[in-house]
């Protein structure tokens, strides 16, 4: 087996996604430690120009119209072809909508191990170790990455994104694919834009975020009142959106928005990786949860173990008083 | 149209999970199992499809934890047949193993759609739907939030979620495996009285399988994040906590 590190690139509307730049930076570090090459697999249509933004030794490219939009089947077929003879040490991808589909299917197709939810990768004594988060962030599992080529899906934001693109001049090689692909069973129809939002939560300075702990929709006005006093808006984690209590436009996390407000107040949110991914860069994070072991306390700046439903009205009142004091 | 819903049980996080004495695995005695949340959404989406198009919904579950109640609940929600798969395994195997078990169970059966939750909280080695599709050489789409049938039962139109509120609409030739992120409506509520009634006459079929050679990754260690690690904790009565938090806001000039 080879020692090279591969990264599967993701791009959207002509731009590389942050996760790809994060993985390229990490991949470079791992490749250097192993005195090996870093290769990026870039699949799409009219994407050749993106290759120069990648600080890799080699870019394996498929630039064809049928790859214009992501479909799991076509992308998986191309990766299978690329991986057939090369046997890299590890293939890094995002634990994202694109990466998750590819990770499992490829693992089964080419019979190689895979790891998901990875937040840490390091080489110790010449061996590669990966740490993954499971149980909504309540446990970490450290795994010695198997000796066979291993596919690893990394949670976005786990590794720093390089400040300036340290792009190089990677050698670009086409992945050999048949002139016509076998009949594809999945076809892209259209991109659905986010529904027009009532409030753009990515632009609001203060976010009052509610999770399962809000218990029922009757408690939402309470959170809205606090948001109003603080000059912010209410947003939520996935379970609240899935219940239909707030519109999709208010969702923070993997499938929702990525926000960076001055203040993120999290009420009754456990802090599962899917949510954390969307708000971890907030300037100030204050978390309130009844569970002292809630993973959100691991990353929040401030926290309190108490019932959010009891605390919210008290906070609203205190904030109102402070605001009046400031005005006088 | 025939729809299979594949489900697994996962530890209930409300009950907490403990690491065993080896430091490499979860203590099975610390776990109470519940149906994986996104599997519940997969079942809901299947029942919604059945309400729109004539369909038969069959749910399959591995025998980890107390599965009988979950299967009866599925019947109460609208599943037509429920099957408990006996594996003889004491703990929930890796997803590679689970996918191989389901692949062998589905062999020879005819389904147009195979739905499963897109991910479970204990996923370490990929997700069940993608692995199964890989083994069965079927098309797979994950993070699906909406499924509609088109062209009879030969095609499904699905919405796949992307970050930032975007979604892709894809056309998928059937048979196919879909990893459901969220059903079009929250999983329906079944009153206890209805569940009890169903349980009286419920027929839970059982199917014995021989578990394949377990496929796992070598865990070096398992650990919990340090409690409160990172966060400066406020304490006291709720009134005192509120006052401290607002004090912080004032200090940071976050009060309007």
């Amino acid at each position: 087996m080879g020692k090279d590190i591969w990264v599967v690139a993701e791009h959207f509307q002509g731009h590389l996604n942050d996760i790809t730049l994060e993985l390229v930076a990490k991949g470079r570090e791992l490749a250097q430690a192993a005195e090996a090459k870093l290769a990026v697999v870039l699949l799409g249509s009219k994407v050749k120009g993106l290759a120069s933004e990648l600080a890799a030794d080699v870019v394996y490219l498929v630039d064809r119209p049928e790859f214009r939009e992501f479909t799991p089947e076509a992308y998986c077929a191309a990766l299978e072809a690329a991986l057939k003879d090369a046997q890299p040490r590890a293939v890094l991808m995002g634990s994202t909508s694109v990466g998750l589909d590819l990770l499992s299917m490829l693992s089964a197709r080419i019979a190689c191990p895979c790891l998901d939810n990875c937040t840490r990768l390091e080489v110790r004594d010449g061996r590669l170790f990966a740490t993954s988060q499971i149980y909504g962030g309540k446990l970490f599992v450290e795994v010695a990455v198997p000796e066979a080529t291993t596919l690893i899906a990394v949670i976005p934001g786990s590794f720093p994104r390089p400040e300036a693109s340290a792009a190089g001049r990677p050698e670009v090689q086409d992945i050999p694919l048949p002139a016509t692909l076998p009949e594809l069973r999945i076809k892209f129809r259209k991109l659905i834009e986010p529904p027009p939002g009532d409030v753009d939560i990515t632009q609001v300075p203060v976010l009052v975020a509610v999770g399962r702990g809000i218990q029922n929709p009757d408690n939402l006005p309470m959170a809205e009142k606090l948001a109003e006093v603080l000059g912010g808006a209410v947003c939520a984690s996935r379970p609240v959106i899935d219940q239909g209590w707030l519109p999709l436009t208010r969702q923070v996390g993997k499938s929702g928005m990525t926000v960076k407000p001055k203040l993120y107040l999290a009420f009754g949110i456990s802090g599962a990786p899917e949510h954390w991914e969307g708000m971890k860069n907030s300037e100030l994070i204050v978390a309130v949860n009844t569970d002292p072991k809630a993973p959100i306390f691991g990353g929040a700046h401030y926290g309190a173990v108490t019932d959010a439903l009891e605390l919210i009205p008290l906070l609203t009142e205190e904030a109102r008083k402070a605001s009046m004091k400031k005005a006088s | 149209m025939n729809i299979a819903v594949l489900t697994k049980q996962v530890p209930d996080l409300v009950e907490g999970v403990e690491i065993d004495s080896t430091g490499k695995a979860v203590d099975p005695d610390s776990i109470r199992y519940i149906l994986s949340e996104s599997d519940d959404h997969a079942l809901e989406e299947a029942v919604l499809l059945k309400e729109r198009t004539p369909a038969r919904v069959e749910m399959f579950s591995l025998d980890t934890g107390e599965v009988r109640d979950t299967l009866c609940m599925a019947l109460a929600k609208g599943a037509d047949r429920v099957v408990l798969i006996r594996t003889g395994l004491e703990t929930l195997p890796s997803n590679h193993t689970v996918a191989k078990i389901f692949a062998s169970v589905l062999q020879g059966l005819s389904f147009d759609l195979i739905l499963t939750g897109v991910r479970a909280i204990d996923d370490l080695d990929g997700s069940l739907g993608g692995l199964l599709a890989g083994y069965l050489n079927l098309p797979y789409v994950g993070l699906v939030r909406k499924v509609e049938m088109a062209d009879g039962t030969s095609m499904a139109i699905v919405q796949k979620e992307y970050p930032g509120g975007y979604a892709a609409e894809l056309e998928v030739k059937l048979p196919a495996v879909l990893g459901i992120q969220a059903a079009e409506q929250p999983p329906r509520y079944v009153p206890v009285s209805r569940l009890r009634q169903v349980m009286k006459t419920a027929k839970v079929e059982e199917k014995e399988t021989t578990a394949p050679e377990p496929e796992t990754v070598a865990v070096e260690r398992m650990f919990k994040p340090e409690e409160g690690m990172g966060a400066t904790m406020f304490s006291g009565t709720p009134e005192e906590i509120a006052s401290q938090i607002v004090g912080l806001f004032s200090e940071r000039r976050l009060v309007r």
Side-chain angles (χ1 to χ4, degrees):
Chain A
M1 190 196 55
K3 296 189 289 184
D4 294 352
I5 303 291
W6 284 25
V7 168
V8 179
E10 276 185 45
H11 50 87
F12 188 62
Q13 299 186 327
H15 300 280
L16 289 169
N17 291 1
D18 282 357
I19 177 70
T20 300
L21 301 174
E22 292 161 17
L23 292 179
V24 166
K26 187 64 180 183
R28 173 143 297 285
E29 179 194 316
L30 298 177
Q32 269 166 3
E35 295 178 353
K37 281 187 181 167
L38 173 68
V40 177
V41 184
L42 178 59
L43 311 171
S45 174
K46 298 183 181 156
V47 289
K48 201 170 180 178
L50 293 177
S52 63
E53 295 176 33
L54 295 162
D57 298 306
V58 190
V59 169
Y60 295 119
L61 180 74
V62 171
D63 202 339
R64 287 166 53 150
E66 59 265 56
F67 285 79
R68 193 167 64 89
E69 304 289 347
F70 172 75
T71 67
E73 192 183 24
Y75 274 52
C76 192
L79 280 161
E80 233 186 292
L83 280 163
K84 209 172 167 192
D85 299 318
Q87 289 184 326
R89 172 76 188 91
V91 183
L92 312 183
M93 54 194 89
S95 181
T96 57
S97 187
V98 167
L100 274 177
D101 283 7
L102 298 175
L103 179 85
S104 307
M105 253 192 310
L106 266 179
S107 173
R109 300 293 306 154
I110 59 177
C112 66
C114 74
L115 288 169
D116 188 12
N117 293 314
C118 174
T119 55
R120 195 171 168 169
L121 277 169
E122 61 182 343
V123 177
R124 290 202 307 263
D125 303 327
R127 293 171 74 203
L128 181 59
F129 292 90
T131 302
S132 291
Q133 269 184 329
I134 55 168
Y135 299 144
K138 289 201 164 185
L139 283 186
F140 287 89
V141 184
E142 189 184 69
V143 170
V145 176
E147 287 303 319
T149 296
T150 303
L151 313 175
I152 303 174
V154 175
I155 295 178
S158 299
F159 307 132
R161 177 180 182 238
E163 280 299 324
S165 170
R169 287 175 183 274
E171 178 195 341
V172 178
Q173 289 181 16
D174 289 324
I175 296 173
L177 284 183
T180 49
L181 288 175
E183 197 202 347
L184 293 174
R185 296 166 292 184
I186 301 179
K187 277 190 193 136
F188 176 86
R189 280 165 73 106
K190 64 177 182 195
L191 185 71
I192 299 165
E193 303 269 338
D198 44 355
V199 176
D200 183 355
I201 58 168
T202 63
Q203 301 299 323
V204 177
V206 174
L207 284 172
V208 174
V210 294
R212 264 183 232 276
I214 198 77
Q215 292 176 12
N216 68 63
D218 298 342
N219 292 321
L220 279 173
M222 194 197 286
E224 273 154 11
K225 204 170 280 175
L226 175 60
E228 189 191 316
V229 172
L230 293 170
V234 173
C235 64
S237 62
R238 175 112 224 172
V240 173
I241 307 292
D242 282 349
Q243 289 296 323
W245 298 346
L246 279 170
L248 262 176
T249 45
R250 304 286 185 112
Q251 186 186 333
V252 171
K254 190 179 280 299
S255 304
M257 305 297 167
T258 298
V259 297
K260 295 175 190 173
K262 287 188 191 316
L263 170 64
Y264 195 86
L265 257 171
F267 292 107
I269 290 179
S270 68
E274 294 83 23
H275 184 73
W276 185 249
E277 191 183 315
M279 43 63 76
K280 64 179 173 3
N281 291 323
S282 305
E283 286 177 36
L284 179 66
I285 301 169
V286 181
V288 176
N289 206 297
T290 47
D291 178 7
K293 293 178 180 164
I296 192 124
F297 293 129
H301 302 100
Y302 291 88
V305 177
T306 187
D307 182 359
L309 296 180
E310 193 178 346
L311 188 68
I312 295 173
L314 295 168
L315 265 178
T316 310
E317 198 40 45
E318 281 292 320
R320 205 193 305 268
K321 276 193 231 159
S323 174
M324 281 163 65
K325 200 171 145 196
K326 193 183 161 197
S328 63
Chain B
M1 177 172 65
N2 291 322
I3 306 173
V5 181
L6 310 183
T7 63
K8 67 176 198 178
Q9 306 278 109
V10 294
D12 184 355
L13 292 183
V14 173
E15 303 283 318
V17 282
E18 297 301 326
I19 298 166
D20 74 6
S21 57
T22 68
K24 295 185 177 189
V26 164
D27 177 3
D29 295 335
S30 74
I31 297 173
R32 194 179 77 98
Y33 283 101
I34 53 166
L35 177 65
S36 174
E37 194 173 350
S38 66
D39 288 350
D40 199 14
H41 280 269
L43 173 65
E44 180 61 37
E45 192 65 27
V47 175
L48 285 173
L49 277 168
K50 179 183 159 180
E51 286 168 354
R52 295 198 294 249
T53 325
R56 183 175 160 79
V57 174
E58 301 186 19
M59 177 159 135
F60 297 81
S61 183
L62 295 197
D63 58 348
T64 325
E66 283 300 314
V67 191
R68 216 187 135 76
D69 289 3
T70 307
L71 290 171
C72 289
M73 182 63 93
L75 286 171
K77 286 182 174 186
D80 299 287
R81 178 182 177 227
V82 293
V83 183
L84 172 61
I85 300 169
R86 292 259 173 233
T87 61
L89 293 165
E90 281 174 16
T91 52
L92 190 66
S94 73
N95 275 343
H96 279 74
T97 308
V98 175
K100 281 185 178 164
I101 294 171
F102 278 128
S104 76
V105 168
L106 294 178
Q107 209 80 55
L109 301 178
S110 167
F111 287 102
D112 303 290
L113 263 182
I114 299 168
L115 304 187
T116 184
V118 69
R119 62 197 318 180
I121 53 165
D122 62 347
D123 285 350
L124 179 62
D125 63 329
S127 47
L128 173 60
L131 290 166
L132 181 77
Y135 290 137
L136 296 176
N137 193 22
L138 290 176
Y140 171 73
V141 182
L143 274 95
V144 169
R145 69 174 184 202
K146 187 175 186 180
V147 185
E148 279 176 330
M149 301 310 297
D151 202 9
T153 56
S154 69
M155 193 192 288
I157 313 279
V158 307
Q159 284 187 14
K160 172 179 176 60
E161 289 191 351
Y162 283 134
Y166 286 91
E169 189 175 281
L170 303 170
E171 223 174 81
V172 188
K173 260 196 187 158
L174 304 186
V177 183
L178 301 177
I180 303 294
Q181 168 75 58
E184 287 159 61
Q185 66 177 42
R188 63 197 63 200
Y189 173 75
V190 175
V192 178
S193 55
R194 163 91 183 119
L195 178 63
R196 285 211 184 110
Q197 199 187 345
V198 168
M199 284 174 111
K200 279 183 200 156
T201 55
K203 186 175 168 222
V204 175
E205 289 178 40
E206 295 198 10
K207 189 171 168 55
E208 296 281 340
T209 58
T210 322
E213 198 58 34
E215 228 181 286
T216 49
V217 284
V219 172
E220 289 287 310
R221 65 184 179 117
M222 218 176 239
F223 57 100
K224 290 185 176 186
E226 278 173 49
E227 235 169 81
M229 177 188 68
T232 303
M233 302 301 282
F234 294 119
S235 56
T237 63
E239 287 79 4
E240 286 162 354
I241 292 172
S243 152
Q244 292 168 67
I245 293 179
V246 173
L248 172 73
F249 293 169
S250 300
E251 194 186 302
R252 301 287 182 101
R253 300 176 186 278
L254 289 164
V255 171
R256 287 213 295 173

